[in-house]
């Protein structure tokens, strides 16, 4: 699976959009981009995933660049409850492994 | 809808004692099942995964073992715990569909194990 690079930490003001970047320059054509988050002392929560096209669901939007070498997770209106560690993962759909890196610690401030 | 249950939520065990963590999934059939561990301040580490009853793949050599006695039941065990076994243990599931779904993995709430 391709490796990912994320900033270790970010801050965001409550009510503003949180944009979390992820670099995955070695991604292959059949690898998906997944985003999870982990609130302290809880299991990781699935947020969204995509292959080539931008994706949106009730939690967030995923923007993937045309060359697929990077992506951005967007939380449109961050709340204090969005404070968590966010993980960007790249893997093939039939790979039974899901390797988490260090992620980005997002702190939403009032 | 699918749900995953994992228990116990927390436990404190002495060194050398046995361990049994249990996980069940509801609302789906023939899922892939996983056990992960997260040591304090570190990322997740895949320990075991299973694609069917009695089929277990181990990712890391250790004194832990896993079993899948039923389709939606996954058990993590140890005969003798070590101090280094302390951590946050997570059960997870997925269903391998056509590529468009991406085989999303969903996690349980986790079990905190402290070996003393």
């Amino acid at each position: 699976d391709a490796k990912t690079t994320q900033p270790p930490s970010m801050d965001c003001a409550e009510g503003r959009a949180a944009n979390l970047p992820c670099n995955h320059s070695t991604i292959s054509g059949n690898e998906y981009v997944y985003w999870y988050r982990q609130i302290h002392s809880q299991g990781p929560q699935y947020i969204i995933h995509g292959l080539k096209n931008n994706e949106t669901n009730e939690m967030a939007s995923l923007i993937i660049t045309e060359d697929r070498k990077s992506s951005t997770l967007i939380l449109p209106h961050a709340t204090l409850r969005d404070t968590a560690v966010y993980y960007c993962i790249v893997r093939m759909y039939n790979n039974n492994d899901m390797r988490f890196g260090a992620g980005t610690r997002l702190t939403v401030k009032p | 809808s699918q749900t995953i249950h994992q228990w116990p939520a927390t436990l404190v065990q002495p060194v050398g004692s046995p361990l049994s963590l249990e996980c069940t999934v509801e609302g789906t059939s023939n899922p892939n099942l996983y056990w992960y561990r997260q040591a304090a301040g570190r990322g997740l580490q895949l320990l075991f995964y299973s694609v069917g009853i009695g089929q277990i793949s181990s990712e890391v050599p250790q004194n832990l073992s896993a079993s899948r006695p039923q389709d939606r039941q996954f058990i993590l065990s140890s005969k003798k715990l070590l101090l280094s076994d302390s951590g946050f243990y997570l059960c997870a599931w997925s269903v391998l569909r056509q590529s468009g779904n991406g085989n999303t993995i969903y996690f349980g709430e986790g079990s905190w194990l402290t070996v003393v």
Side-chain angles (χ1 to χ4, degrees):
Chain A
D1 290 342
K3 292 190 175 182
T4 62
T5 303
Q6 299 178 252
S9 64
M10 294 181 62
D11 292 341
C12 177
E14 188 178 18
R16 305 297 291 270
N19 297 282
L20 292 92
C22 180
N23 288 322
H24 31 79
S25 59
T26 60
I27 192 171
S28 64
N30 54 0
E31 288 183 313
Y32 286 75
V33 179
Y34 289 82
W35 282 85
Y36 287 77
R37 72 181 182 184
Q38 188 172 23
I39 297 171
H40 183 64
S41 300
Q42 298 182 20
Q45 179 187 22
Y46 165 75
I47 301 173
I48 198 168
H49 75 279
L51 183 62
K52 297 179 181 178
N53 300 323
N54 298 337
E55 302 287 344
T56 296
N57 63 21
E58 65 279 3
M59 290 183 65
S61 295
L62 173 60
I63 308 299
I64 302 174
T65 58
E66 190 170 348
D67 63 8
R68 302 185 70 240
K69 292 184 177 182
S70 66
S71 61
T72 301
L73 178 74
I74 301 174
L75 307 178
H77 305 287
T79 70
L80 298 179
R81 288 178 294 180
D82 292 323
T83 293
V85 178
Y86 287 76
Y87 298 98
C88 169
I89 300 150
V90 173
R91 67 182 265 263
M92 292 177 60
Y93 83 96
N94 59 352
N95 188 339
N96 286 311
D97 198 355
M98 177 73 79
R99 299 190 181 271
F100 286 66
T104 295
R105 182 172 297 277
L106 174 69
T107 303
V108 180
K109 298 183 175 181
Chain B
S1 63
Q2 299 86 4
T3 57
I4 180 169
H5 303 284
Q6 182 181 343
W7 68 93
T10 60
L11 66 165
V12 179
Q13 295 285 99
V15 170
S17 65
L19 170 72
S20 181
L21 299 178
E22 189 165 342
C23 171
T24 59
V25 179
E26 297 176 358
T28 188
S29 59
N30 196 30
N32 294 337
L33 297 174
Y34 311 81
W35 279 110
Y36 285 82
R37 177 172 61 197
Q38 186 175 34
R42 303 181 67 179
L44 272 69
Q45 179 186 38
L46 178 64
L47 301 175
F48 302 94
Y49 70 88
S50 170
V51 298
I53 296 174
Q55 301 178 60
I56 309 295
S57 296
S58 175
E59 292 294 304
V60 181
Q62 58 211 321
N63 69 323
L64 300 172
S65 63
S67 62
R68 185 170 177 173
Q70 299 181 42
D71 180 45
R72 291 170 291 173
Q73 183 184 25
F74 206 24
I75 299 171
L76 182 69
S77 304
S78 174
K79 293 182 179 179
K80 291 185 178 181
L81 284 169
L82 306 173
L83 287 174
S84 58
D85 291 324
S86 294
F88 189 43
Y89 289 82
L90 290 153
C91 183
W93 69 274
S94 70
V95 174
L96 182 61
R97 297 190 179 94
Q98 295 302 314
S99 61
N101 179 275
N103 192 24
T104 302
I105 295 178
Y106 299 93
F107 291 84
E109 287 303 308
S111 298
W112 285 98
L113 170 64
T114 303
V115 182
V116 297

